[in-house]
Short mmCIF file of all heavy atoms in Angstrom, two decimals:
data_model
loop_
_atom_site.label_atom_id
_atom_site.label_comp_id
_atom_site.label_asym_id
_atom_site.label_seq_id
_atom_site.Cartn_x
_atom_site.Cartn_y
_atom_site.Cartn_z
N LYS A 100 -16.42 -12.60 -5.06
CA LYS A 100 -15.87 -13.86 -4.51
C LYS A 100 -16.38 -15.11 -5.35
O LYS A 100 -16.85 -16.09 -4.83
CB LYS A 100 -16.38 -14.07 -3.06
CG LYS A 100 -15.89 -12.98 -2.10
CD LYS A 100 -16.28 -13.23 -0.65
CE LYS A 100 -15.76 -12.10 0.28
NZ LYS A 100 -16.34 -10.79 -0.01
N ARG A 101 -16.13 -15.02 -6.62
CA ARG A 101 -16.49 -16.10 -7.52
C ARG A 101 -15.56 -17.23 -7.26
O ARG A 101 -14.47 -17.15 -6.87
CB ARG A 101 -16.32 -15.61 -9.00
CG ARG A 101 -17.27 -14.44 -9.36
CD ARG A 101 -18.71 -14.77 -9.04
NE ARG A 101 -19.66 -13.75 -9.54
CZ ARG A 101 -20.95 -13.70 -9.27
NH1 ARG A 101 -21.44 -14.49 -8.35
NH2 ARG A 101 -21.75 -12.78 -9.83
N GLY A 102 -16.13 -18.49 -7.59
CA GLY A 102 -15.25 -19.65 -7.25
C GLY A 102 -15.67 -20.94 -8.01
O GLY A 102 -15.88 -21.93 -7.44
N ASP A 103 -15.79 -20.79 -9.36
CA ASP A 103 -16.13 -21.93 -10.15
C ASP A 103 -15.02 -22.13 -11.17
O ASP A 103 -14.02 -21.53 -11.13
CB ASP A 103 -17.46 -21.61 -10.87
CG ASP A 103 -18.29 -22.89 -10.96
OD1 ASP A 103 -17.76 -23.95 -11.35
OD2 ASP A 103 -19.56 -22.81 -10.81
N ILE A 104 -15.23 -23.13 -12.03
CA ILE A 104 -14.12 -23.55 -12.95
C ILE A 104 -14.57 -23.61 -14.33
O ILE A 104 -15.86 -23.43 -14.60
CB ILE A 104 -13.63 -24.93 -12.53
CG1 ILE A 104 -14.72 -26.07 -12.52
CG2 ILE A 104 -12.98 -24.98 -11.19
CD1 ILE A 104 -14.23 -27.44 -12.31
N GLY A 105 -13.68 -23.79 -15.26
CA GLY A 105 -14.03 -24.05 -16.69
C GLY A 105 -14.76 -22.89 -17.33
O GLY A 105 -14.52 -21.72 -17.01
N SER A 106 -15.70 -23.19 -18.19
CA SER A 106 -16.42 -22.19 -18.95
C SER A 106 -17.24 -21.38 -18.02
O SER A 106 -17.45 -20.15 -18.35
CB SER A 106 -17.36 -22.91 -19.93
OG SER A 106 -18.25 -23.74 -19.38
N THR A 107 -17.73 -21.90 -16.87
CA THR A 107 -18.51 -21.07 -15.95
C THR A 107 -17.60 -19.90 -15.41
O THR A 107 -17.99 -18.73 -15.42
CB THR A 107 -19.01 -21.87 -14.76
OG1 THR A 107 -19.80 -22.95 -15.32
CG2 THR A 107 -19.89 -21.05 -13.89
N ALA A 108 -16.36 -20.23 -15.01
CA ALA A 108 -15.52 -19.22 -14.47
C ALA A 108 -15.10 -18.25 -15.67
O ALA A 108 -14.96 -17.07 -15.38
CB ALA A 108 -14.16 -19.86 -13.95
N ASP A 109 -15.03 -18.71 -16.88
CA ASP A 109 -14.81 -17.78 -18.02
C ASP A 109 -15.77 -16.71 -18.04
O ASP A 109 -15.58 -15.58 -18.25
CB ASP A 109 -14.75 -18.55 -19.39
CG ASP A 109 -13.51 -19.38 -19.53
OD1 ASP A 109 -12.46 -18.98 -19.03
OD2 ASP A 109 -13.60 -20.43 -20.28
N TYR A 111 -17.78 -15.76 -15.49
CA TYR A 111 -17.64 -14.87 -14.34
C TYR A 111 -16.59 -13.81 -14.66
O TYR A 111 -16.74 -12.69 -14.17
CB TYR A 111 -17.28 -15.68 -13.21
CG TYR A 111 -18.54 -16.32 -12.44
CD1 TYR A 111 -18.44 -17.73 -11.97
CD2 TYR A 111 -19.69 -15.68 -12.29
CE1 TYR A 111 -19.48 -18.25 -11.31
CE2 TYR A 111 -20.77 -16.27 -11.67
CZ TYR A 111 -20.68 -17.56 -11.16
OH TYR A 111 -21.75 -18.14 -10.56
N THR A 125 -12.54 -10.28 -6.65
CA THR A 125 -12.25 -11.23 -5.61
C THR A 125 -12.62 -12.67 -6.06
O THR A 125 -13.71 -12.89 -6.62
CB THR A 125 -12.86 -10.89 -4.29
OG1 THR A 125 -14.31 -10.76 -4.43
CG2 THR A 125 -12.31 -9.58 -3.74
N VAL A 126 -11.88 -13.68 -5.66
CA VAL A 126 -12.03 -15.06 -6.18
C VAL A 126 -11.82 -15.95 -4.96
O VAL A 126 -10.92 -15.86 -4.15
CB VAL A 126 -11.12 -15.44 -7.28
CG1 VAL A 126 -11.18 -16.87 -7.66
CG2 VAL A 126 -11.32 -14.48 -8.43
N ASN A 127 -12.78 -17.00 -4.85
CA ASN A 127 -12.68 -18.04 -3.83
C ASN A 127 -11.87 -19.18 -4.38
O ASN A 127 -12.32 -19.78 -5.44
CB ASN A 127 -14.09 -18.46 -3.42
CG ASN A 127 -14.05 -19.43 -2.21
OD1 ASN A 127 -13.18 -20.19 -2.10
ND2 ASN A 127 -15.14 -19.41 -1.49
N PRO A 128 -10.79 -19.63 -3.87
CA PRO A 128 -9.86 -20.65 -4.44
C PRO A 128 -10.13 -22.09 -4.02
O PRO A 128 -9.32 -22.96 -4.20
CB PRO A 128 -8.48 -20.20 -3.93
CG PRO A 128 -8.76 -19.73 -2.56
CD PRO A 128 -10.05 -19.07 -2.63
N TYR A 129 -11.32 -22.37 -3.45
CA TYR A 129 -11.54 -23.66 -2.91
C TYR A 129 -11.39 -24.81 -3.94
O TYR A 129 -11.02 -25.94 -3.63
CB TYR A 129 -13.01 -23.75 -2.34
CG TYR A 129 -13.24 -24.93 -1.46
CD1 TYR A 129 -12.77 -25.07 -0.16
CD2 TYR A 129 -13.98 -26.07 -1.96
CE1 TYR A 129 -12.91 -26.20 0.57
CE2 TYR A 129 -14.18 -27.13 -1.20
CZ TYR A 129 -13.65 -27.30 0.05
OH TYR A 129 -13.86 -28.38 0.84
N MET A 130 -11.63 -24.45 -5.27
CA MET A 130 -11.52 -25.48 -6.29
C MET A 130 -10.17 -25.45 -6.91
O MET A 130 -9.95 -26.00 -8.00
CB MET A 130 -12.64 -25.29 -7.30
CG MET A 130 -14.07 -25.58 -6.68
SD MET A 130 -15.38 -25.28 -7.85
CE MET A 130 -15.31 -26.67 -8.86
N GLY A 131 -9.17 -24.72 -6.34
CA GLY A 131 -7.88 -24.79 -6.79
C GLY A 131 -7.55 -23.83 -7.97
O GLY A 131 -8.34 -22.87 -8.20
N PHE A 132 -6.49 -24.03 -8.64
CA PHE A 132 -5.92 -23.11 -9.69
C PHE A 132 -6.94 -23.02 -10.83
O PHE A 132 -7.01 -21.99 -11.46
CB PHE A 132 -4.56 -23.50 -10.11
CG PHE A 132 -4.02 -22.55 -11.19
CD1 PHE A 132 -3.67 -21.29 -10.84
CD2 PHE A 132 -3.78 -22.95 -12.51
CE1 PHE A 132 -3.20 -20.36 -11.75
CE2 PHE A 132 -3.25 -22.07 -13.37
CZ PHE A 132 -2.92 -20.75 -13.04
N ASP A 133 -7.70 -24.06 -11.02
CA ASP A 133 -8.73 -24.00 -12.10
C ASP A 133 -9.71 -22.89 -11.87
O ASP A 133 -10.31 -22.38 -12.87
CB ASP A 133 -9.53 -25.32 -12.10
CG ASP A 133 -8.71 -26.49 -12.54
OD1 ASP A 133 -7.55 -26.33 -12.83
OD2 ASP A 133 -9.25 -27.67 -12.53
N THR A 134 -9.92 -22.44 -10.60
CA THR A 134 -10.72 -21.31 -10.26
C THR A 134 -10.07 -20.04 -10.76
O THR A 134 -10.72 -19.09 -11.10
CB THR A 134 -10.99 -21.24 -8.78
OG1 THR A 134 -11.61 -22.46 -8.31
CG2 THR A 134 -11.88 -20.08 -8.41
N ILE A 135 -8.72 -19.94 -10.58
CA ILE A 135 -8.00 -18.68 -10.80
C ILE A 135 -7.69 -18.41 -12.27
O ILE A 135 -7.75 -17.36 -12.76
CB ILE A 135 -6.66 -18.72 -9.97
CG1 ILE A 135 -6.89 -19.23 -8.59
CG2 ILE A 135 -5.97 -17.42 -10.09
CD1 ILE A 135 -7.85 -18.35 -7.77
N GLU A 136 -7.34 -19.49 -13.00
CA GLU A 136 -6.81 -19.39 -14.30
C GLU A 136 -7.63 -18.67 -15.27
O GLU A 136 -7.22 -17.81 -16.02
CB GLU A 136 -6.46 -20.76 -14.82
CG GLU A 136 -5.68 -20.82 -16.15
CD GLU A 136 -5.21 -22.20 -16.55
OE1 GLU A 136 -5.93 -23.20 -16.11
OE2 GLU A 136 -4.31 -22.29 -17.34
N PRO A 137 -8.95 -18.82 -15.34
CA PRO A 137 -9.77 -18.15 -16.33
C PRO A 137 -9.69 -16.60 -16.12
O PRO A 137 -9.84 -15.87 -17.18
CB PRO A 137 -11.25 -18.64 -16.04
CG PRO A 137 -11.01 -20.03 -15.47
CD PRO A 137 -9.80 -19.88 -14.59
N PHE A 138 -9.55 -16.18 -14.93
CA PHE A 138 -9.46 -14.72 -14.69
C PHE A 138 -8.09 -14.12 -15.17
O PHE A 138 -8.05 -12.99 -15.55
CB PHE A 138 -9.67 -14.43 -13.19
CG PHE A 138 -11.04 -14.74 -12.74
CD1 PHE A 138 -11.39 -16.04 -12.27
CD2 PHE A 138 -12.01 -13.84 -12.74
CE1 PHE A 138 -12.64 -16.34 -11.82
CE2 PHE A 138 -13.37 -14.10 -12.35
CZ PHE A 138 -13.61 -15.33 -11.89
N VAL A 148 -7.32 -13.18 -4.26
CA VAL A 148 -7.71 -14.55 -3.86
C VAL A 148 -7.91 -14.48 -2.33
O VAL A 148 -7.10 -14.03 -1.56
CB VAL A 148 -6.59 -15.49 -4.18
CG1 VAL A 148 -6.91 -16.94 -3.75
CG2 VAL A 148 -6.37 -15.49 -5.71
N LEU A 149 -9.10 -15.09 -1.89
CA LEU A 149 -9.33 -15.24 -0.47
C LEU A 149 -8.21 -16.09 0.15
O LEU A 149 -8.05 -17.22 -0.23
CB LEU A 149 -10.67 -15.84 -0.22
CG LEU A 149 -11.92 -15.10 -0.80
CD1 LEU A 149 -13.23 -15.93 -0.43
CD2 LEU A 149 -12.00 -13.73 -0.23
N CYS A 150 -7.65 -15.54 1.28
CA CYS A 150 -6.62 -16.33 1.89
C CYS A 150 -6.91 -16.61 3.39
O CYS A 150 -7.25 -17.68 3.86
CB CYS A 150 -5.21 -15.53 1.75
SG CYS A 150 -3.82 -16.46 2.57
N LEU A 160 -11.72 -23.98 8.15
CA LEU A 160 -10.96 -24.57 7.08
C LEU A 160 -9.55 -23.98 6.97
O LEU A 160 -8.59 -24.66 6.82
CB LEU A 160 -11.66 -24.41 5.77
CG LEU A 160 -12.99 -25.13 5.55
CD1 LEU A 160 -13.59 -24.84 4.21
CD2 LEU A 160 -12.84 -26.67 5.81
N LEU A 172 -3.63 -24.22 6.24
CA LEU A 172 -4.04 -24.06 4.82
C LEU A 172 -3.89 -22.69 4.35
O LEU A 172 -3.44 -22.50 3.13
CB LEU A 172 -5.55 -24.58 4.70
CG LEU A 172 -6.14 -24.44 3.36
CD1 LEU A 172 -5.43 -25.19 2.33
CD2 LEU A 172 -7.66 -24.75 3.43
N HIS A 175 -0.38 -22.23 3.30
CA HIS A 175 -0.11 -23.04 2.07
C HIS A 175 -0.69 -22.34 0.81
O HIS A 175 -0.04 -22.24 -0.27
CB HIS A 175 -0.80 -24.41 2.20
CG HIS A 175 -0.60 -25.30 0.97
ND1 HIS A 175 0.66 -25.76 0.63
CD2 HIS A 175 -1.50 -25.81 0.10
CE1 HIS A 175 0.46 -26.58 -0.47
NE2 HIS A 175 -0.84 -26.54 -0.78
N LEU A 176 -1.88 -21.76 0.90
CA LEU A 176 -2.39 -21.01 -0.15
C LEU A 176 -1.59 -19.76 -0.52
O LEU A 176 -1.50 -19.52 -1.68
CB LEU A 176 -3.88 -20.58 0.24
CG LEU A 176 -4.62 -19.64 -0.72
CD1 LEU A 176 -4.79 -20.37 -2.11
CD2 LEU A 176 -6.00 -19.27 -0.16
N LEU A 179 1.25 -21.00 -2.61
CA LEU A 179 0.76 -21.34 -4.00
C LEU A 179 0.60 -20.01 -4.84
O LEU A 179 1.04 -19.94 -5.93
CB LEU A 179 -0.59 -22.07 -3.95
CG LEU A 179 -0.48 -23.53 -3.47
CD1 LEU A 179 -1.86 -24.10 -3.36
CD2 LEU A 179 0.36 -24.35 -4.51
N TRP A 184 1.16 -19.60 -8.87
CA TRP A 184 0.02 -19.04 -9.55
C TRP A 184 0.29 -17.66 -10.22
O TRP A 184 -0.38 -17.30 -11.13
CB TRP A 184 -1.21 -18.97 -8.65
CG TRP A 184 -1.72 -20.31 -8.19
CD1 TRP A 184 -1.36 -21.53 -8.56
CD2 TRP A 184 -2.72 -20.48 -7.21
NE1 TRP A 184 -2.06 -22.50 -7.87
CE2 TRP A 184 -2.92 -21.84 -7.03
CE3 TRP A 184 -3.55 -19.69 -6.44
CZ2 TRP A 184 -3.85 -22.42 -6.19
CZ3 TRP A 184 -4.51 -20.16 -5.52
CH2 TRP A 184 -4.65 -21.57 -5.41
#
Side-chain angles (χ1 to χ4, degrees):
K100 298 181 178 70
R101 299 307 191 191
D103 217 317
I104 59 174
S106 61
T107 304
D109 285 333
Y111 278 138
T125 56
V126 176
N127 186 330
Y129 191 77
M130 297 176 75
F132 184 63
D133 293 357
T134 303
I135 312 301
E136 189 174 23
F138 294 89
V148 180
L149 301 181
C150 180
L160 296 179
L172 178 59
H175 179 67
L176 174 61
L179 286 173
W184 295 351

